[in-house]
């Protein structure tokens, strides 16, 4: 996994140099951070369409990895300090306040785990975990000019439970057009409903799967590090990359569903910005 991260970073670095030479225009995003996707250039519409390839953990707690191709991009409309967006299974709004506070709210759909997610049959008898709509509220606060350092807090709540993420990040070699490298670290917390949806084993599941009945308490879930990269190759083509490494707390890693005490993913993709 570490080797794959280094190879991808080398590839993105080479593409970055090419892109800096060949980019012909500088866009003006709402916030100059690679992790905050913005296809607009001032007021008006912004549309981006593309594909991303991810190599990731098959399901949370799995020791199996899979390659997945997903659509990337979205449709956005910006007016002043407000931006409305639709991307994948989420629709939302974000706004910039006093140049140092970024507030975002969205509604999306969270898909559950299926028995077939494990090719080795390690989820047999557990059935499908619940899916449902979730509301996400995120607040970021800049600690330095141009968002060089920032704090980040997110809470997601819905039918499947509640997840809280609290962290900090820094933007390296970032440009005014929102390109560059961003590194962050965060701790996550979950309520009992979400904890048992992902890592618990109820009585029926225990009988069907042979796994011991397990109840996971609410509280600390994991600590992780994430990296985001974004760059324009020219006026319209954009390349992006992302990587995540997350270490579970003892309550999660002790679950019989957890075959690993960590989750990891790495991805790269291209987007055509209209």
């Amino acid at each position: 996994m570490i080797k794959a991260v280094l190879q991808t970073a080398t590839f993105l670095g080479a593409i970055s140099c090419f892109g800096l030479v060949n980019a012909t225009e500088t866009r003006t995003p709402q916030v100059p951070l690679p992790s905050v996707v913005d296809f607009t250039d001032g007021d008006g519409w912004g549309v981006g369409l593309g594909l991303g390839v991810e190599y990731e953990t098959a399901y949370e707690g799995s020791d199996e990895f899979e390659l997945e191709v997903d659509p990337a991009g979205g449709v956005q409309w910006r007016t002043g300090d407000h931006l409305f967006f639709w991307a994948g299974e989420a629709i939302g709004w974000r706004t910039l306040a006093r140049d140092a506070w970024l507030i975002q709210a969205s509604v999306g759909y969270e898909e559950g785990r299926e028995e077939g997610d494990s090719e080795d049959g390690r989820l047999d008898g557990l059935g499908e975990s619940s899916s449902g709509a979730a509301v996400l509220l995120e607040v970021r606060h800049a600690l330095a000019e141009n968002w060089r350092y920032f704090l980040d807090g997110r809470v997601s709540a819905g039918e499947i439970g509640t997840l809280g993420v609290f962290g900090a990040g820094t933007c390296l070699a970032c440009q005014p057009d929102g390109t560059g490298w961003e590194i962050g670290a965060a701790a996550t917390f979950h309520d009992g409903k979400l904890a048992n949806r992902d890592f618990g084993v109820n009585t029926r599941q225990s009988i069907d799967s042979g796994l011991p009945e397990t109840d996971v308490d609410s509280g600390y879930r994991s600590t992780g590090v994430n990296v985001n990269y974004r760059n324009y190759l020219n006026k319209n083509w954009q390349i992006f990359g992302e990587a995540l490494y997350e270490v579970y707390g003892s309550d999660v890693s002790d679950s019989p569903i957890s075959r690993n005490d960590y989750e990891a993913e790495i991805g790269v993709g291209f987007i055509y910005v209209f």
Side-chain angles (χ1 to χ4, degrees):
M1 186 67 199
I2 298 299
K3 182 179 179 180
V5 172
L6 292 175
Q7 290 175 337
T8 302
T10 301
F11 169 73
L12 292 176
I15 291 292
S16 176
C17 295
F18 177 82
L20 290 174
V21 172
N22 289 274
T24 58
E25 284 189 9
T26 298
R27 291 177 176 263
T28 307
Q30 189 180 29
V31 176
L33 287 176
S35 62
V36 181
V37 182
D38 190 345
F39 304 126
T40 65
D41 185 14
D43 289 354
W45 289 96
V47 180
L49 296 175
L51 288 174
V53 180
E54 291 185 340
Y55 183 67
E56 60 184 352
T57 307
Y59 58 90
E60 294 191 82
S62 174
D63 59 356
E64 303 170 57
F65 287 83
E66 62 181 11
L67 196 65
E68 185 173 322
V69 179
D70 293 311
V75 179
Q76 304 170 337
W77 183 68
R78 181 172 158 192
T79 175
D81 290 328
H82 303 277
L83 187 147
F84 301 87
F85 62 89
W86 170 51
E89 298 177 329
I91 184 170
W93 155 86
R94 67 173 179 252
T95 187
L96 185 62
R98 300 181 181 178
D99 296 325
W101 292 90
L102 181 67
I103 302 170
Q104 177 170 303
S106 64
V107 178
Y109 186 78
E110 297 289 340
E111 296 184 358
R113 184 189 63 221
E114 300 179 359
E115 287 189 5
D117 289 342
S118 172
E119 294 185 356
D120 295 340
R122 292 176 174 171
L123 298 176
D124 290 354
L126 294 177
E128 297 183 7
S129 63
S130 58
S131 304
V135 176
L136 173 69
L137 176 64
E138 178 176 3
V139 178
R140 292 196 187 194
H141 177 56
L143 300 175
E145 188 177 357
N146 296 323
W147 292 79
R148 177 65 186 275
Y149 302 102
F150 60 88
L151 299 176
D152 183 24
R154 284 165 280 165
V155 176
S156 175
E159 303 172 67
I160 62 173
T162 302
L163 179 73
V165 183
F166 307 95
T170 181
C171 202
L172 303 176
C174 287
Q175 303 300 315
D177 62 356
T179 60
W181 293 86
E182 180 185 318
I183 301 175
T188 64
F189 302 84
H190 52 197
D191 67 355
K193 187 174 183 179
L194 182 62
N196 284 288
R197 175 229 188 212
D198 293 336
F199 301 103
V201 180
N202 60 33
T203 303
R204 181 73 263 171
Q205 291 173 323
S206 178
I207 294 173
D208 293 342
S209 67
L211 297 176
E213 191 170 344
T214 303
D215 182 74
V216 184
D217 293 332
S218 62
Y220 174 70
R221 182 183 179 100
S222 62
T223 297
V225 177
N226 60 84
V227 178
N228 283 277
Y229 168 82
R230 195 171 300 276
N231 190 51
Y232 278 97
L233 301 178
N234 54 40
K235 178 182 177 181
N236 299 104
W237 282 103
Q238 181 185 104
I239 184 175
F240 67 90
E242 52 191 16
L244 168 71
Y245 185 80
E246 187 176 2
V247 180
Y248 294 131
S250 58
D251 284 350
V252 172
S253 59
D254 288 344
S255 164
I257 293 177
S258 297
R259 302 285 179 164
N260 259 338
D261 60 0
Y262 71 89
E263 178 183 356
E265 66 177 65
I266 184 169
V268 64
F270 293 88
I271 294 176
Y272 185 87
V273 182
F274 294 85

PDB file of all heavy atoms in Angstrom, residues 235-256:
ATOM      1  N   LYS A 235      -6.495  24.658 -19.872  1.00  0.00           N
ATOM      2  CA  LYS A 235      -7.683  25.444 -19.544  1.00  0.00           C
ATOM      3  C   LYS A 235      -8.828  24.588 -19.019  1.00  0.00           C
ATOM      4  O   LYS A 235      -9.566  25.011 -18.127  1.00  0.00           O
ATOM      5  CB  LYS A 235      -8.136  26.223 -20.785  1.00  0.00           C
ATOM      6  CG  LYS A 235      -9.405  27.038 -20.581  1.00  0.00           C
ATOM      7  CD  LYS A 235      -9.815  27.733 -21.861  1.00  0.00           C
ATOM      8  CE  LYS A 235     -11.128  28.489 -21.687  1.00  0.00           C
ATOM      9  NZ  LYS A 235     -11.561  29.153 -22.938  1.00  0.00           N
ATOM     10  N   ASN A 236      -8.997  23.392 -19.552  1.00  0.00           N
ATOM     11  CA  ASN A 236     -10.171  22.592 -19.223  1.00  0.00           C
ATOM     12  C   ASN A 236      -9.894  21.284 -18.479  1.00  0.00           C
ATOM     13  O   ASN A 236     -10.734  20.838 -17.702  1.00  0.00           O
ATOM     14  CB  ASN A 236     -10.962  22.254 -20.501  1.00  0.00           C
ATOM     15  CG  ASN A 236     -11.462  23.482 -21.221  1.00  0.00           C
ATOM     16  OD1 ASN A 236     -10.907  23.886 -22.250  1.00  0.00           O
ATOM     17  ND2 ASN A 236     -12.491  24.119 -20.683  1.00  0.00           N
ATOM     18  N   TRP A 237      -8.738  20.681 -18.715  1.00  0.00           N
ATOM     19  CA  TRP A 237      -8.482  19.375 -18.109  1.00  0.00           C
ATOM     20  C   TRP A 237      -7.831  19.512 -16.735  1.00  0.00           C
ATOM     21  O   TRP A 237      -6.852  20.233 -16.563  1.00  0.00           O
ATOM     22  CB  TRP A 237      -7.601  18.525 -19.006  1.00  0.00           C
ATOM     23  CG  TRP A 237      -8.355  17.922 -20.147  1.00  0.00           C
ATOM     24  CD1 TRP A 237      -8.354  18.332 -21.447  1.00  0.00           C
ATOM     25  CD2 TRP A 237      -9.232  16.798 -20.092  1.00  0.00           C
ATOM     26  NE1 TRP A 237      -9.176  17.543 -22.205  1.00  0.00           N
ATOM     27  CE2 TRP A 237      -9.732  16.582 -21.405  1.00  0.00           C
ATOM     28  CE3 TRP A 237      -9.657  15.941 -19.061  1.00  0.00           C
ATOM     29  CZ2 TRP A 237     -10.622  15.559 -21.699  1.00  0.00           C
ATOM     30  CZ3 TRP A 237     -10.543  14.909 -19.364  1.00  0.00           C
ATOM     31  CH2 TRP A 237     -11.012  14.732 -20.670  1.00  0.00           C
ATOM     32  N   GLN A 238      -8.394  18.779 -15.788  1.00  0.00           N
ATOM     33  CA  GLN A 238      -7.917  18.816 -14.413  1.00  0.00           C
ATOM     34  C   GLN A 238      -7.596  17.397 -13.960  1.00  0.00           C
ATOM     35  O   GLN A 238      -8.321  16.453 -14.259  1.00  0.00           O
ATOM     36  CB  GLN A 238      -9.016  19.415 -13.521  1.00  0.00           C
ATOM     37  CG  GLN A 238      -8.662  19.544 -12.062  1.00  0.00           C
ATOM     38  CD  GLN A 238      -9.844  20.032 -11.231  1.00  0.00           C
ATOM     39  OE1 GLN A 238     -10.466  19.246 -10.521  1.00  0.00           O
ATOM     40  NE2 GLN A 238     -10.169  21.303 -11.331  1.00  0.00           N
ATOM     41  N   ILE A 239      -6.504  17.242 -13.247  1.00  0.00           N
ATOM     42  CA  ILE A 239      -6.152  15.964 -12.645  1.00  0.00           C
ATOM     43  C   ILE A 239      -6.277  16.092 -11.136  1.00  0.00           C
ATOM     44  O   ILE A 239      -6.004  17.157 -10.564  1.00  0.00           O
ATOM     45  CB  ILE A 239      -4.716  15.529 -13.029  1.00  0.00           C
ATOM     46  CG1 ILE A 239      -4.427  14.134 -12.465  1.00  0.00           C
ATOM     47  CG2 ILE A 239      -3.681  16.535 -12.563  1.00  0.00           C
ATOM     48  CD1 ILE A 239      -3.075  13.568 -12.905  1.00  0.00           C
ATOM     49  N   PHE A 240      -6.720  15.021 -10.484  1.00  0.00           N
ATOM     50  CA  PHE A 240      -6.824  15.045  -9.029  1.00  0.00           C
ATOM     51  C   PHE A 240      -6.365  13.710  -8.459  1.00  0.00           C
ATOM     52  O   PHE A 240      -6.383  12.669  -9.131  1.00  0.00           O
ATOM     53  CB  PHE A 240      -8.263  15.347  -8.584  1.00  0.00           C
ATOM     54  CG  PHE A 240      -9.257  14.263  -8.903  1.00  0.00           C
ATOM     55  CD1 PHE A 240      -9.510  13.234  -7.994  1.00  0.00           C
ATOM     56  CD2 PHE A 240      -9.954  14.246 -10.106  1.00  0.00           C
ATOM     57  CE1 PHE A 240     -10.421  12.229  -8.275  1.00  0.00           C
ATOM     58  CE2 PHE A 240     -10.862  13.255 -10.399  1.00  0.00           C
ATOM     59  CZ  PHE A 240     -11.101  12.236  -9.486  1.00  0.00           C
ATOM     60  N   GLY A 241      -5.945  13.741  -7.216  1.00  0.00           N
ATOM     61  CA  GLY A 241      -5.542  12.531  -6.524  1.00  0.00           C
ATOM     62  C   GLY A 241      -5.879  12.634  -5.051  1.00  0.00           C
ATOM     63  O   GLY A 241      -5.994  13.741  -4.505  1.00  0.00           O
ATOM     64  N   GLU A 242      -6.059  11.517  -4.417  1.00  0.00           N
ATOM     65  CA  GLU A 242      -6.371  11.514  -2.989  1.00  0.00           C
ATOM     66  C   GLU A 242      -5.905  10.212  -2.357  1.00  0.00           C
ATOM     67  O   GLU A 242      -5.853   9.170  -3.021  1.00  0.00           O
ATOM     68  CB  GLU A 242      -7.876  11.694  -2.762  1.00  0.00           C
ATOM     69  CG  GLU A 242      -8.731  10.718  -3.536  1.00  0.00           C
ATOM     70  CD  GLU A 242     -10.213  11.076  -3.512  1.00  0.00           C
ATOM     71  OE1 GLU A 242     -10.548  12.224  -3.156  1.00  0.00           O
ATOM     72  OE2 GLU A 242     -11.025  10.204  -3.862  1.00  0.00           O
ATOM     73  N   ALA A 243      -5.554  10.278  -1.090  1.00  0.00           N
ATOM     74  CA  ALA A 243      -5.126   9.094  -0.349  1.00  0.00           C
ATOM     75  C   ALA A 243      -5.587   9.229   1.092  1.00  0.00           C
ATOM     76  O   ALA A 243      -5.656  10.343   1.631  1.00  0.00           O
ATOM     77  CB  ALA A 243      -3.610   8.926  -0.414  1.00  0.00           C
ATOM     78  N   LEU A 244      -5.911   8.108   1.706  1.00  0.00           N
ATOM     79  CA  LEU A 244      -6.395   8.097   3.083  1.00  0.00           C
ATOM     80  C   LEU A 244      -5.823   6.888   3.812  1.00  0.00           C
ATOM     81  O   LEU A 244      -5.801   5.778   3.264  1.00  0.00           O
ATOM     82  CB  LEU A 244      -7.928   8.037   3.100  1.00  0.00           C
ATOM     83  CG  LEU A 244      -8.585   7.737   4.449  1.00  0.00           C
ATOM     84  CD1 LEU A 244      -8.439   8.938   5.385  1.00  0.00           C
ATOM     85  CD2 LEU A 244     -10.066   7.381   4.275  1.00  0.00           C
ATOM     86  N   TYR A 245      -5.386   7.112   5.044  1.00  0.00           N
ATOM     87  CA  TYR A 245      -4.968   6.018   5.914  1.00  0.00           C
ATOM     88  C   TYR A 245      -5.571   6.285   7.289  1.00  0.00           C
ATOM     89  O   TYR A 245      -5.322   7.329   7.899  1.00  0.00           O
ATOM     90  CB  TYR A 245      -3.444   5.927   6.014  1.00  0.00           C
ATOM     91  CG  TYR A 245      -2.972   4.738   6.804  1.00  0.00           C
ATOM     92  CD1 TYR A 245      -2.912   3.470   6.221  1.00  0.00           C
ATOM     93  CD2 TYR A 245      -2.594   4.863   8.133  1.00  0.00           C
ATOM     94  CE1 TYR A 245      -2.488   2.363   6.945  1.00  0.00           C
ATOM     95  CE2 TYR A 245      -2.167   3.770   8.867  1.00  0.00           C
ATOM     96  CZ  TYR A 245      -2.116   2.524   8.265  1.00  0.00           C
ATOM     97  OH  TYR A 245      -1.701   1.424   8.989  1.00  0.00           O
ATOM     98  N   GLU A 246      -6.388   5.337   7.764  1.00  0.00           N
ATOM     99  CA  GLU A 246      -7.165   5.543   8.989  1.00  0.00           C
ATOM    100  C   GLU A 246      -6.966   4.353   9.920  1.00  0.00           C
ATOM    101  O   GLU A 246      -7.150   3.198   9.520  1.00  0.00           O
ATOM    102  CB  GLU A 246      -8.639   5.687   8.602  1.00  0.00           C
ATOM    103  CG  GLU A 246      -9.567   6.059   9.720  1.00  0.00           C
ATOM    104  CD  GLU A 246     -10.990   6.277   9.203  1.00  0.00           C
ATOM    105  OE1 GLU A 246     -11.227   6.103   7.988  1.00  0.00           O
ATOM    106  OE2 GLU A 246     -11.855   6.615  10.031  1.00  0.00           O
ATOM    107  N   VAL A 247      -6.578   4.617  11.169  1.00  0.00           N
ATOM    108  CA  VAL A 247      -6.338   3.557  12.152  1.00  0.00           C
ATOM    109  C   VAL A 247      -7.506   3.517  13.133  1.00  0.00           C
ATOM    110  O   VAL A 247      -7.874   4.533  13.724  1.00  0.00           O
ATOM    111  CB  VAL A 247      -5.021   3.806  12.919  1.00  0.00           C
ATOM    112  CG1 VAL A 247      -4.790   2.700  13.945  1.00  0.00           C
ATOM    113  CG2 VAL A 247      -3.844   3.877  11.955  1.00  0.00           C
ATOM    114  N   TYR A 248      -8.077   2.335  13.316  1.00  0.00           N
ATOM    115  CA  TYR A 248      -9.240   2.187  14.187  1.00  0.00           C
ATOM    116  C   TYR A 248      -8.867   2.139  15.665  1.00  0.00           C
ATOM    117  O   TYR A 248      -7.779   1.683  16.035  1.00  0.00           O
ATOM    118  CB  TYR A 248      -9.988   0.894  13.844  1.00  0.00           C
ATOM    119  CG  TYR A 248     -10.617   0.879  12.484  1.00  0.00           C
ATOM    120  CD1 TYR A 248     -10.425  -0.207  11.626  1.00  0.00           C
ATOM    121  CD2 TYR A 248     -11.405   1.924  12.040  1.00  0.00           C
ATOM    122  CE1 TYR A 248     -11.019  -0.245  10.378  1.00  0.00           C
ATOM    123  CE2 TYR A 248     -12.000   1.905  10.786  1.00  0.00           C
ATOM    124  CZ  TYR A 248     -11.796   0.819   9.961  1.00  0.00           C
ATOM    125  OH  TYR A 248     -12.373   0.784   8.713  1.00  0.00           O
ATOM    126  N   GLY A 249      -9.815   2.581  16.496  1.00  0.00           N
ATOM    127  CA  GLY A 249      -9.671   2.435  17.930  1.00  0.00           C
ATOM    128  C   GLY A 249      -9.872   0.982  18.334  1.00  0.00           C
ATOM    129  O   GLY A 249     -10.327   0.143  17.547  1.00  0.00           O
ATOM    130  N   SER A 250      -9.589   0.658  19.592  1.00  0.00           N
ATOM    131  CA  SER A 250      -9.613  -0.729  20.041  1.00  0.00           C
ATOM    132  C   SER A 250     -11.004  -1.344  19.974  1.00  0.00           C
ATOM    133  O   SER A 250     -11.149  -2.527  19.624  1.00  0.00           O
ATOM    134  CB  SER A 250      -9.071  -0.819  21.472  1.00  0.00           C
ATOM    135  OG  SER A 250      -9.831   0.003  22.350  1.00  0.00           O
ATOM    136  N   ASP A 251     -12.060  -0.582  20.282  1.00  0.00           N
ATOM    137  CA  ASP A 251     -13.413  -1.138  20.244  1.00  0.00           C
ATOM    138  C   ASP A 251     -13.785  -1.598  18.839  1.00  0.00           C
ATOM    139  O   ASP A 251     -14.468  -2.609  18.662  1.00  0.00           O
ATOM    140  CB  ASP A 251     -14.429  -0.090  20.722  1.00  0.00           C
ATOM    141  CG  ASP A 251     -14.407   0.083  22.232  1.00  0.00           C
ATOM    142  OD1 ASP A 251     -13.743  -0.731  22.900  1.00  0.00           O
ATOM    143  OD2 ASP A 251     -15.045   1.021  22.735  1.00  0.00           O
ATOM    144  N   VAL A 252     -13.326  -0.835  17.829  1.00  0.00           N
ATOM    145  CA  VAL A 252     -13.626  -1.181  16.442  1.00  0.00           C
ATOM    146  C   VAL A 252     -12.746  -2.327  15.960  1.00  0.00           C
ATOM    147  O   VAL A 252     -13.222  -3.289  15.349  1.00  0.00           O
ATOM    148  CB  VAL A 252     -13.448   0.055  15.534  1.00  0.00           C
ATOM    149  CG1 VAL A 252     -13.564  -0.336  14.066  1.00  0.00           C
ATOM    150  CG2 VAL A 252     -14.487   1.111  15.881  1.00  0.00           C
ATOM    151  N   SER A 253     -11.458  -2.234  16.224  1.00  0.00           N
ATOM    152  CA  SER A 253     -10.540  -3.266  15.734  1.00  0.00           C
ATOM    153  C   SER A 253     -10.767  -4.615  16.419  1.00  0.00           C
ATOM    154  O   SER A 253     -10.400  -5.669  15.872  1.00  0.00           O
ATOM    155  CB  SER A 253      -9.086  -2.821  15.922  1.00  0.00           C
ATOM    156  OG  SER A 253      -8.804  -2.564  17.282  1.00  0.00           O
ATOM    157  N   ASP A 254     -11.397  -4.624  17.611  1.00  0.00           N
ATOM    158  CA  ASP A 254     -11.683  -5.882  18.301  1.00  0.00           C
ATOM    159  C   ASP A 254     -12.941  -6.561  17.772  1.00  0.00           C
ATOM    160  O   ASP A 254     -13.212  -7.716  18.121  1.00  0.00           O
ATOM    161  CB  ASP A 254     -11.854  -5.635  19.807  1.00  0.00           C
ATOM    162  CG  ASP A 254     -10.534  -5.318  20.493  1.00  0.00           C
ATOM    163  OD1 ASP A 254      -9.476  -5.589  19.895  1.00  0.00           O
ATOM    164  OD2 ASP A 254     -10.562  -4.783  21.618  1.00  0.00           O
ATOM    165  N   SER A 255     -13.699  -5.880  16.928  1.00  0.00           N
ATOM    166  CA  SER A 255     -14.903  -6.473  16.365  1.00  0.00           C
ATOM    167  C   SER A 255     -14.530  -7.651  15.461  1.00  0.00           C
ATOM    168  O   SER A 255     -13.541  -7.589  14.724  1.00  0.00           O
ATOM    169  CB  SER A 255     -15.674  -5.436  15.545  1.00  0.00           C
ATOM    170  OG  SER A 255     -16.634  -6.057  14.712  1.00  0.00           O
ATOM    171  N   PRO A 256     -15.318  -8.746  15.463  1.00  0.00           N
ATOM    172  CA  PRO A 256     -15.021  -9.882  14.571  1.00  0.00           C
ATOM    173  C   PRO A 256     -15.179  -9.531  13.094  1.00  0.00           C
ATOM    174  O   PRO A 256     -14.694 -10.266  12.230  1.00  0.00           O
ATOM    175  CB  PRO A 256     -16.037 -10.943  15.008  1.00  0.00           C
ATOM    176  CG  PRO A 256     -17.154 -10.177  15.641  1.00  0.00           C
ATOM    177  CD  PRO A 256     -16.491  -9.008  16.323  1.00  0.00           C
TER     178      PRO A 256
END
